[in-house]
Amino acid sequence: MGIDPCRLRVLLAVARTGGVLAAADELGITPSAVSQQLNKLEDETGHALVVRTPKGSVLTPAGLAVAEAGEEIERALSVARARIEGGAKVAGVVRVGGFTSFVRTVVIPRLPEWRIRYAQLQIRMVEDDFPALLRMLRQRALDAVVVELDSMTAGQRSLSAGMIEEPLLDEPWKLVVPAGALLTTENIDLGHLPLPWLGVDSSAANASVLGRIRQSTGAQKETVHQYQETLTALALVAAGEGVAIVPTLALSGVSHDGVDVLDVPGLGTRRIVLRRFDRRRSASMPVDTVARLLRESAAAFDTRSTS
C-alpha cells in the first residue's frame, strides 16, 4: 500500500509540537482525527511511527525517516510556490535571530546578494544565545530564529503552541585538543583524555554533548573555565588548558593554530533549525521568502563542506 502524502503533515505536526493534543490544535482538527491519521499512516508504512510517553509523543526511528521525507516535500512545495510567486513584489522588514557561527558563516556572506534580489525586503539580524532568541520569538520581537540542537537530544525539547521547526543543516561535532596532545588519534577514549573538558554555557548545544559523554563513559571529570564563543575555546585549547567539543561550522574561517581538530565516532551531529510561528492562517510572504533563503544558503554551505 502506498503512503498518502496528506497524512505526512499530521506526523510532522506531532513531531513539532510533541503531542497529539497540541498537533490537533495546530492543525485545527480533533485529537481523534490526528490519532486516526497516524494509525492509517502506520498501516501504510507497516511500522510504528510514534511512541506515546508521559511527557508527550516521540517519533520512532521509522517515524523520523518518514517525517524527514515529509519535510523534503514541504521544502519542494515551498520552492515551487516561490517560483510561482516570483513575479510578485516581496516587501517588508523581517527580523531574524541567530547564533554566532551561523550568522557569520551562512547568513552575512549572502546578505548583499539577497539585497539585490529583493530590493524591497529588509532582513534585520539579531545575534544572541538560545534562551534569549526563543524569548524574543515568543514575544514576537523576532519573526524567526535559527537555533542549534544536539541531534541526539533534540527530541527532548518541546515547541511552544503554534511554533513550527524547519531543519536547515546537520553537521558533525569535532573534538579539539592541543596540537600533539594525543599520541594517536585512533580509538580515542573520551572518558580518559589527558586533559579536562572546557566548560561551556549550559544553554549551548555543546553542553548536551558533554552530558551524553559523561553518561555513556561514566566519567565524572569536572570542567575547567567557562566559555561562550568558539574563539575563546580554541585559545584555551591552544594554551593547553583543556579539550572542547566544537561544531564544524564554528571552525570555518578561523585559525586552527595550536590545536588538532579530530573526527571521533560517537560525538554525533549538531542540528541547526529555523523556528517560527505558523503563518498558514495569515500568510506572510516576506517571512516565507527569508525562510526559503536561509534554507538555500544552509544547503549550499552543506554542499561545499562535504564536497
Side-chain angles (χ1 to χ4, degrees):
M1 182 183 294
I3 297 175
D4 184 348
C6 295
R7 304 194 211 283
L8 296 179
R9 62 191 292 265
V10 176
L11 181 65
L12 288 176
V14 172
R16 290 164 175 169
T17 63
V20 170
L21 292 177
D25 182 65
E26 169 76 13
L27 297 170
I29 59 179
T30 66
S32 175
V34 171
S35 296
Q36 289 175 11
Q37 291 298 307
L38 287 177
N39 290 336
K40 291 179 180 178
L41 189 57
E42 289 181 332
D43 289 341
E44 291 171 352
T45 61
H47 294 276
L49 304 178
V50 177
V51 176
R52 277 77 168 182
T53 72
K55 294 184 178 180
S57 298
V58 178
L59 267 61
T60 65
L64 289 171
V66 176
E68 288 175 0
E71 288 167 344
E72 290 294 335
I73 293 173
E74 275 192 340
R75 284 194 288 271
L77 291 175
S78 177
V79 170
R81 182 173 63 177
R83 290 173 177 171
I84 293 171
E85 297 171 346
K89 292 289 185 182
V90 180
V93 177
V94 178
R95 302 153 299 177
V96 181
F99 55 91
T100 302
S101 59
F102 189 86
V103 171
R104 172 179 61 84
T105 308
V106 178
V107 178
I108 291 177
R110 303 295 293 273
L111 287 176
E113 173 195 338
W114 294 345
R115 191 163 54 245
I116 294 172
R117 288 173 60 184
Y118 298 96
Q120 298 184 49
L121 177 64
Q122 300 179 47
I123 302 174
R124 298 287 182 258
M125 296 302 305
V126 176
E127 180 186 52
D128 218 319
D129 59 19
F130 186 94
L133 291 173
L134 290 189
R135 183 174 61 253
M136 286 186 281
L137 179 62
R138 286 191 291 265
Q139 294 171 346
R140 305 304 199 271
L142 295 174
D143 298 296
V145 299
V146 178
V147 296
E148 59 168 1
L149 307 167
D150 173 36
S151 62
M152 293 189 180
T153 56
Q156 299 174 10
R157 295 179 182 269
S158 59
L159 298 179
S160 301
M163 189 181 293
I164 60 174
E165 182 175 282
E166 305 170 49
L168 296 177
L169 180 66
D170 277 10
E171 54 166 5
W173 292 107
K174 303 286 188 178
L175 175 65
V176 182
V177 303
L182 300 183
L183 297 178
T184 177
T185 58
E186 296 182 2
N187 302 319
I188 295 174
D189 185 351
L190 294 173
H192 298 87
L193 293 173
L195 290 167
W197 292 100
L198 297 180
V200 62
D201 185 88
S202 60
S203 66
N206 316 47
S208 296
V209 184
L210 290 178
R212 281 199 290 106
I213 292 173
R214 285 197 183 97
Q215 185 175 17
S216 63
T217 63
Q220 295 300 320
K221 280 189 176 181
E222 296 294 326
T223 56
V224 297
H225 303 296
Q226 175 99 2
Y227 72 90
Q228 286 187 318
E229 298 298 330
T230 298
L231 289 177
T232 304
L234 293 177
L236 287 167
V237 173
E241 291 293 304
V243 299
I245 299 294
V246 178
T248 305
L249 196 65
L251 294 167
S252 177
V254 301
S255 172
H256 298 175
D257 291 345
V259 305
D260 290 333
V261 179
L262 308 175
D263 291 304
V264 180
L267 285 185
T269 58
R270 177 173 76 161
R271 177 162 297 167
I272 300 175
V273 300
L274 178 71
R275 289 186 177 180
R276 55 180 173 141
F277 284 96
D278 193 356
R279 301 277 180 169
R280 282 175 300 182
R281 295 184 183 130
S282 57
S284 171
M285 188 181 296
V287 176
D288 289 343
T289 298
V290 171
R292 174 173 55 82
L293 293 175
L294 291 173
R295 288 194 299 269
E296 291 174 354
S297 187
F301 183 88
D302 187 37
T303 300
R304 292 197 303 273
S305 63
T306 56
S307 60

